[in-house]
Amino acid sequence: MATFAMTRERIFRELVERSNRSGNAIWLARMIASWRVGEGALPDYLGLSPEQFNNLRSHCFSDIALPHLAVSGKTVDYSRMLEKQDLETLLGDFRAPDVAETEWIIAILVAGCLGSDHLWQDLGLWSRSELSGLMSHNFPELAARNNKDMKWKKFLYKQLCEMEGLNLCRAPSCQVCQDYGLCFASEESTSVIDQVERNFNRDA
């Protein structure tokens, strides 16, 4: 576990030190550092197209050679993601106009939504608060709508339902819903380090 943490930290520090210091640099560096050691759910190219991946690298981390293959070997199957275009449209409609990296952030977020854990974990971020910061920076008006602190993956899909005029929740309000904890419970209890430690103990 210590080796994993040190390796990820080293990659992260190198990325930040040689980044363009943009508002997204730290979040992208954290995601890439996790991806480089096999954590998170992001596939090859971080879920970007090869062209997008190269453009992101050139823009944010021009002096660093980044491998394009995911160490985890994970892939994304967009054929089972009927909402892919809708998610891209939702995020695109709310993107901050003056943030250069948001095009790539959108593609990475959509790829992360195919993961099975909390969105911040699937992205390889190190805490939920980092995802909240990323959302506020890149999609400020959309992030402001999450004023009840709903889990981000749940929140994004709720926005899609509302766009289609759908209401899949039977409860009159979130506060009285028996599934309240599924949408609003803390996501910080399961960190990436916790996952690694559990996997290590399981395989030992």
Side-chain angles (χ1 to χ4, degrees):
M1 178 177 139
T3 301
F4 160 79
M6 289 175 60
T7 301
R8 189 177 67 163
E9 287 283 357
R10 178 182 58 78
I11 295 171
F12 167 70
R13 287 197 302 271
E14 180 183 12
L15 286 165
V16 170
E17 288 169 2
R18 300 168 67 180
S19 74
N20 65 350
R21 306 287 176 167
S22 71
N24 280 306
I26 288 181
W27 297 310
L28 285 167
R30 291 214 195 276
M31 290 189 282
I32 292 171
S34 295
W35 176 72
R36 291 274 310 272
V37 298
E39 290 302 311
L42 295 179
D44 296 348
Y45 297 100
L46 297 169
L48 300 164
S49 70
E51 181 181 7
Q52 287 176 318
F53 182 83
N54 289 329
N55 288 342
L56 181 150
R57 183 195 61 77
S58 297
H59 178 77
C60 297
F61 310 103
S62 58
D63 294 332
I64 298 180
L66 290 177
H68 63 272
L69 297 179
V71 174
S72 66
K74 292 176 181 175
T75 60
V76 292
D77 181 8
Y78 287 120
S79 67
R80 68 180 178 87
M81 193 181 196
L82 301 178
E83 68 279 9
K84 178 177 182 291
Q85 186 173 351
D86 291 333
L87 273 173
E88 292 171 342
T89 299
L90 171 68
L91 293 167
D93 286 347
F94 284 94
R95 64 178 293 178
D98 56 345
V99 180
E101 301 87 6
T102 305
E103 173 191 348
W104 307 314
I105 295 290
I106 289 173
I108 293 170
L109 282 169
V110 172
C113 283
L114 275 168
S116 57
D117 289 320
H118 298 308
L119 183 54
W120 67 269
Q121 293 172 319
D122 288 328
L123 292 170
L125 289 168
W126 300 6
S127 70
R128 185 183 189 275
S129 62
E130 290 184 340
L131 176 55
S132 296
L134 179 148
M135 294 296 295
S136 294
H137 180 70
N138 291 278
F139 317 100
E141 292 185 28
L142 181 63
R145 291 187 178 189
N146 192 9
N147 55 10
K148 302 295 185 184
D149 205 25
M150 179 178 279
K151 294 177 182 178
W152 282 109
K153 199 177 292 186
K154 293 271 189 184
F155 171 77
L156 290 175
Y157 280 89
K158 184 174 185 293
Q159 299 307 299
L160 294 184
C161 288
E162 291 180 355
M163 285 172 56
E164 296 296 326
L166 302 175
N167 183 10
L168 302 180
C169 299
R170 297 180 178 179
S173 70
C174 292
Q175 287 71 20
V176 300
C177 180
Q178 63 180 1
D179 293 325
Y180 182 89
L182 296 176
C183 295
F184 294 94
S186 171
E187 299 177 64
E188 298 291 2
S189 59
T190 309
S191 69
V192 175
I193 296 295
D194 292 334
Q195 291 179 7
V196 174
E197 189 170 33
R198 282 204 307 275
N199 292 339
F200 175 83
N201 292 334
R202 180 194 64 199
D203 296 336

